[in-house]
Amino acid sequence: ASPPVPAPAPTPDEARAFAARVSDELRRLGIRAQTAAWIQSTYITGDTERNSAAAAEDLMAFTAEASRESRRYDGPATDPVTRRMLLLLRVGQTLPAPADPARRAELATLASRLEAAYGEGKWCGATPGGACRDLQALEATMARSRDWDELLDAWVGWRTVARPMRPLFRRLVELGNEGARELGARDLGELWRSGYDMSPAAFERELDRLWAEVEPFYRDLHCYARAALQRRYGAARVPDGRPIPAHLLGNMWAQDWENLYPDLEPYPGRAGGDVDGALAAQGWDPVRMVRLGEAFFVSLGFAPLPATFWERSMLVKPRDREVVCHASAWDVTASGDLRVKMCIRPTGEDLITIHHELGHNFYQRAYLDQPYLFQGGANDGFHEAIGDAIALSITPGYLRRVGLLAEVPEDEEGLIDVQLRRALSKVAFLPFARVVDGWRWGVFSGAIPPDRYDAAWWELRERVQGVAAPVARSEADFDPGAKYHVAATVPYARYFLAAIYQFQFHQALCRAAGWKGPLHECSIYGSREAGRALEAMLRLGASRPWPEAYAALTGTTRPSAAALLEYFAPLRAWLRKANAGRRCGW
């Protein structure tokens, strides 16, 4: 018999028509899934969970099938715009669905159940009748308490919420890997690493390169923080040359150490103001705090938020239902339907988070004129970096201009105080951000088997971050699941990238604004020139490879931690002197 005649290669017009059809259907299904997800996140019930899972399953099914079919159209004759659309279709999937309908439905249900379990989580105490506390209450304990046992209770208690997630997560990994293999990737981690306009291996090397640039600075900060904690808790509990117990760092995940600032403040009272106290004393409510963030972007030349933002956002935690308080920004209908979901507290930390989340919203609106498949960040680190770059302009000088602070530091001691506080947030975060996906990539590849989930998590955290579990853990635990992004299958490398990118973006925006002074003093508030430079990059969305978008703002295609190190130069020099004679490292 004669061999079958191969089907002719699709024409460029056929490839464009396929991309257009896929884009239209993705938009329709995406809006439905986003709507269901918004309702579930702001009103957690069994019904909203099932509804969200069903909508997500339909989106998964179409995206997976379209991704498989797209390979037919990705030939040498396909025009560059269509080829990029097809690439983003394939690599933009966080949780690709298997072709089998039953497995696809199971995956959607697992994803919805894991996120809901996180949102509903409470710790009711080890004794019968103990008062139940949700994550916000437990976080408040972690932030304010300095009692070893009280901190340990909150730390261990929240991690009991993650234990039941372990078998669900294990099955999610199996199904997610199956979907990734059907798209041609070896596993889900390789698929995630394919979304950066370079090979997965090159992307890992890029992360290692950037981490190597900042690791010495982090180690100096770690040494200084450990010495202060040792003074409070004693050398027996916080010994030299050892990782820091994770429950002592002022944050449920030890990812942000800013709450330790009162204990670590080098020159008490010289930082020039208490933002938390000012917000409370002046009676700032959540709406007023968000209005301040909006005013920042308006000062750059952006249009105000739409009226629907104020009608549809969730800015406070409702009293009558369970919600996911983890802050996030949404364009639910992909049409400028901007919203923020957040349980806002009158704190400086939340004020910065508001500016960050609004950065997502203004980015979302800037690229609305792009085709649907290009409506996203140039890579996923861009979206996170934009809001963080804006937050770098929340300087003491800016806070004085908007009436929150009466005085700002004007000497070296005050500057060191301010820089330390910011480094406890920005720099302390870097190794944690490196670990989360480092662990997940190992899980997805099989290098970390299910019977070593927790052990491998703590091995990584001790080696990279110098942080250790405060009590013995076992494989009955699932401590990674105590972090929202693991429970909700949100890739985390984006946050590491953003922590580096933001300083380079800030540097470029300050140059556009004509700033001539030290980088750490610059605020672009009120600069239309900086606003135009920023908007020019935001409008590109994902339409161009990310190095081109990066260069559009910064003038270079190569990210570097040099701007971060320049920003913190005064603190870096001070830390080296402060740590003289100490036994650093772990």
Side-chain angles (χ1 to χ4, degrees), residues 261 265-267 269-272 395-396 408-423 518-522 566-574:
Y261 175 73
E265 187 178 24
Y267 306 106
R270 301 303 294 273
T395 61
V408 299
E410 296 180 355
D411 59 14
E412 184 178 357
E413 291 183 351
L415 170 61
I416 296 303
D417 278 0
V418 169
Q419 287 225 311
L420 177 66
R421 185 166 203 154
R422 183 150 272 176
L519 187 58
H520 58 265
E521 293 181 5
C522 171
E566 176 190 338
Y567 183 95
F568 285 112
L571 177 64
R572 290 168 56 222
W574 184 88

Side-chain angles (χ1 to χ4, degrees), residues 138-181:
L138 292 167
E139 282 189 282
T141 298
M142 299 296 293
R144 298 178 188 136
S145 176
R146 297 297 180 265
D147 180 272
W148 178 282
D149 292 331
E150 187 177 19
L151 289 168
L152 188 61
D153 175 74
W155 189 93
V156 171
W158 177 245
R159 279 151 184 79
T160 64
V161 169
R163 280 185 166 197
M165 297 180 190
R166 187 183 178 105
L168 306 180
F169 179 82
R170 177 176 179 174
R171 181 59 176 158
L172 179 137
V173 169
E174 294 171 354
L175 295 172
N177 274 343
E178 184 178 332
R181 285 192 293 270

Side-chain angles (χ1 to χ4, degrees), residues 78-140:
T78 305
D79 68 86
V81 172
T82 302
R83 188 178 302 120
R84 182 156 183 83
M85 286 185 177
L86 300 180
L87 170 67
L88 294 177
L89 171 66
R90 288 193 295 274
V91 303
Q93 298 182 68
T94 298
L95 200 55
D100 179 79
R103 286 184 169 87
R104 186 172 65 238
E106 184 184 3
L107 180 61
T109 300
L110 285 168
S112 183
R113 176 85 291 270
L114 281 162
E115 184 168 4
Y118 186 95
E120 295 168 337
K122 289 183 176 64
W123 167 236
C124 298
T127 57
C132 293
R133 289 175 288 168
D134 63 11
L135 179 57
Q136 274 204 312
L138 292 167
E139 282 189 282

Side-chain angles (χ1 to χ4, degrees), residues 35 44 59 67 75 104 121 145 148 161 194 245 249 259 261 298 343 360 371-372 376 406 524 527 534 546 563:
T35 302
I44 300 174
L59 178 60
S67 297
R104 186 172 65 238
S145 176
W148 178 282
V161 169
S194 299
L249 288 160
N259 290 317
Y261 175 73
V298 171
C343 302
H360 287 297
Y372 185 74
I524 64 167
S527 171
L534 177 60
W546 71 261

